[in-house]
Amino acid sequence: MSIFGNSIFGNKAPGVGNGTKNGSTQEAADSGAPVQKSDAQWREELTPEEYHVLRQAGTERPYTGEYWDTHTEGVYQCRACGTELFTSTEKFDSHCGWPSFWAPLAEGKVRYIHDRTLGMERIEVRCAACDSHLGHVFEGEGYGTPTDQRYCINSVSLRLVAKERDSDGSQG
């Protein structure tokens, strides 16, 4: 059983899902209830590009987002609600033009939806707390990662919180 149920993926990423199609019901960054806002509230809080990607499941153009080639240590949060989703530890260079991760931060941080748009079979990745579109996850592409999965995530869906440096200049 995979994180996608009985679907196209057979391997389970460490710390991801319960083997259910839509991820864990433990949502909203462990705060209890999921983030619920009206469309008008989302439009007011997000830029037009953020709204298009996060709320309308759009995609930014490859090689244009701020994090596709970033190697800064830290945690990547959902730009819409602030939930911690990924870390730089799981980020890798896939050379696809979008930030790529081999697993989310922890179980229940993201949820999965079968996406059949554009005549393709894909697995969409959404923030479990606010249901914002993040990107898609792919498997079996031959990357040398522990899960053989590539979470292809839009930069505009994320906000990087860099790891703080100690007084001696080292990260800690």
Side-chain angles (χ1 to χ4, degrees):
M1 180 71 81
S2 79
I3 58 175
F4 307 106
N6 293 324
S7 74
I8 59 175
F9 296 163
N11 297 327
K12 184 173 180 179
V16 180
N18 297 349
T20 62
K21 181 170 133 184
N22 291 323
S24 172
T25 57
Q26 184 180 353
E27 296 182 350
D30 299 325
S31 65
V35 175
Q36 295 182 1
K37 296 181 182 182
S38 70
D39 187 61
Q41 288 173 303
W42 285 121
R43 284 183 186 275
E44 185 177 307
E45 292 178 18
L46 302 171
T47 68
E49 183 184 20
E50 290 168 348
Y51 181 84
H52 174 67
V53 172
L54 290 159
R55 305 311 303 167
Q56 297 178 316
T59 301
E60 66 191 1
R61 290 185 8 246
Y63 305 102
T64 62
E66 66 182 306
Y67 302 127
W68 77 269
D69 196 27
T70 298
H71 297 91
T72 304
E73 288 185 53
V75 175
Y76 290 86
Q77 298 176 336
C78 174
R79 193 172 299 240
C81 72
T83 297
E84 294 182 344
L85 301 170
F86 300 93
T87 72
S88 57
T89 305
E90 291 80 30
K91 190 172 187 290
F92 70 100
D93 291 327
S94 68
H95 308 288
C96 70
W98 291 278
S100 298
F101 304 86
W102 52 264
L105 176 77
E107 180 179 330
K109 295 293 185 173
V110 298
R111 66 185 201 95
Y112 308 96
I113 299 173
H114 286 273
D115 178 0
R116 293 178 179 91
T117 60
L118 306 174
M120 296 183 275
E121 285 276 337
R122 301 181 295 175
I123 304 296
E124 179 183 357
V125 180
R126 289 183 170 253
C127 174
C130 69
D131 199 39
S132 288
H133 172 76
L134 304 172
H136 291 85
V137 60
F138 304 96
E139 185 172 78
E141 297 176 314
Y143 292 105
T145 61
T147 62
D148 195 27
Q149 294 174 340
R150 175 174 60 98
Y151 286 75
C152 183
I153 307 298
N154 292 285
S155 286
V156 75
S157 297
L158 302 172
R159 179 171 290 113
L160 173 60
V161 177
K163 188 175 181 180
E164 292 186 23
R165 296 200 174 265
D166 292 335
S167 58
D168 65 0
S170 66
Q171 289 189 329

